Amino acid sequence: MKISRFKKSHKTLVFFASNFDYREPYQVLIDATFCQAALQQKIGIDEQIKKYFQCGVKLLTTQCVILESESLGAPLTGATSIVKRFHVHKCGHEGKPVPASECIKSMTKDNRYVVASQDRLLQESLRRIPGRCLLYLHKATPVLEAPSKASKKWVQRRAKNLMLGKQVEKIDYMKEKQGLKPAETAVKPKKHKGPKNPNPLSCKKSKKDKAKPQLKGVEQTAITKAKRKRVKIPAHVKAALGKD
């Protein structure tokens, strides 16, 4: 492999390793379209990919890729026999297979795979998502695609956030060093407040309650006055009663 090609592929691997946690051995997820292209160009996938990466790699496929290739019949018989040679990675669709492209998309959500495919629609879909690494064949030559715009934008946005955070920390440190940063005031503990005395206005008796004892008092005075009233008997009446 030419030095310029090696530098480009190495630069791409370093980008994904430093920003998206890709690690050796790099896991290369291969579909039937890549195997079909390799068969047409009469190249050995295992040999060419290891020679191209010049580091540890692991070639993988999924059950969904194999089943889809088998369902397409005679045109992909050779590609099916090639894809079956790779290690079959569990994809979570066992018993309920899905199209190969959908299976690969789901596999790349939480894991770091280099996707080896000639499927243009799949490639376009993965380019829109930050952190997706693509490998394809240009005639008989493997090509590790440069980071997509989505991946570059994600890295730039993260770098800006880190720079802003560092600048804020530096400014706070300089303020504190020069005595410009106000000292943090100690938070006074809250005093436990006991139950408050009842509001005297809320304890006033209603007007109805006040009226009742007054009426009772009037009735009682009237009765006592009635008891104390003496009836004067005339003298001729008393004399008449004494005769009787």
Side-chain angles (χ1 to χ4, degrees):
M1 185 174 65
K2 294 181 180 180
I3 296 174
S4 59
R5 283 181 57 211
F6 172 73
K7 284 183 177 180
K8 286 180 181 179
S9 64
H10 180 70
K11 185 179 179 181
T12 301
L13 287 175
V14 169
F15 175 88
F16 284 102
S18 57
N19 295 300
F20 297 100
D21 296 328
Y22 280 72
R23 294 288 180 267
E24 287 190 48
Y26 296 103
Q27 299 185 92
V28 182
L29 190 58
I30 302 171
D31 72 354
T33 62
F34 191 87
C35 296
Q36 180 72 1
L39 184 64
Q40 290 172 352
Q41 297 297 328
K42 299 179 181 179
I43 63 169
I45 293 175
D46 194 349
E47 179 186 354
Q48 288 296 322
I49 289 180
K50 287 180 179 179
K51 184 179 178 181
Y52 180 73
F53 276 77
Q54 295 190 13
C55 60
V57 292
K58 189 175 182 181
L59 307 183
L60 310 169
T61 191
T62 68
Q63 190 67 37
C64 294
V65 171
I66 294 172
L67 291 174
E68 184 181 82
S69 182
E70 287 178 341
S71 67
L72 294 174
L76 290 181
T77 302
T80 303
S81 63
I82 293 172
V83 79
K84 284 182 177 180
R85 298 175 190 171
F86 306 126
H87 176 74
V88 179
H89 206 295
K90 286 186 178 181
C91 60
H93 305 125
E94 290 77 15
K96 295 180 180 180
V98 297
S101 60
E102 295 300 321
C103 179
I104 291 172
K105 287 178 188 178
S106 67
M107 290 285 286
T108 57
K109 282 183 179 178
D110 301 318
N111 297 286
R112 303 293 178 260
Y113 294 103
V114 178
V115 178
S117 176
Q118 303 295 110
D119 186 342
R120 295 292 179 86
L121 294 176
L122 176 60
Q123 290 172 352
E124 286 297 326
S125 177
L126 293 176
R127 285 188 189 109
R128 298 190 193 102
I129 306 170
R132 301 300 182 262
C133 186
L134 298 176
L135 179 72
Y136 61 89
L137 287 174
H138 177 65
K139 296 183 179 180
T141 306
V143 178
L144 191 63
E145 188 173 274
S148 64
K149 290 181 180 179
S151 295
K152 289 179 180 178
K153 284 182 179 179
W154 186 90
V155 171
Q156 289 171 359
R157 191 160 52 245
R158 189 184 67 167
K160 285 181 181 179
N161 292 335
L162 289 173
M163 286 295 293
L164 288 172
K166 288 180 180 179
Q167 287 176 358
V168 170
E169 289 178 2
K170 189 175 180 180
I171 290 169
D172 289 341
Y173 172 75
M174 293 300 293
K175 283 183 178 180
E176 189 176 353
K177 190 175 180 181
Q178 295 178 9
L180 299 174
K181 191 176 180 180
E184 294 181 358
T185 55
V187 180
K188 293 182 179 179
K190 292 183 178 180
K191 292 183 179 180
H192 179 70
K193 295 181 180 180
K196 293 182 178 179
N197 293 327
N199 189 347
L201 295 175
S202 63
C203 298
K204 282 187 175 182
K205 294 182 179 180
S206 63
K207 292 181 180 180
K208 291 182 180 179
D209 294 338
K210 286 184 178 180
K212 286 181 180 178
Q214 290 177 358
L215 291 172
K216 287 182 180 179
V218 172
E219 291 175 0
Q220 287 176 358
T221 52
I223 292 168
T224 52
K225 284 182 180 180
K227 286 181 180 179
R228 290 177 184 177
K229 189 176 182 181
R230 296 179 182 180
V231 180
K232 292 183 179 181
I233 301 173
H236 67 276
V237 175
K238 284 183 180 180
L241 291 172
K243 290 179 181 182
D244 292 338

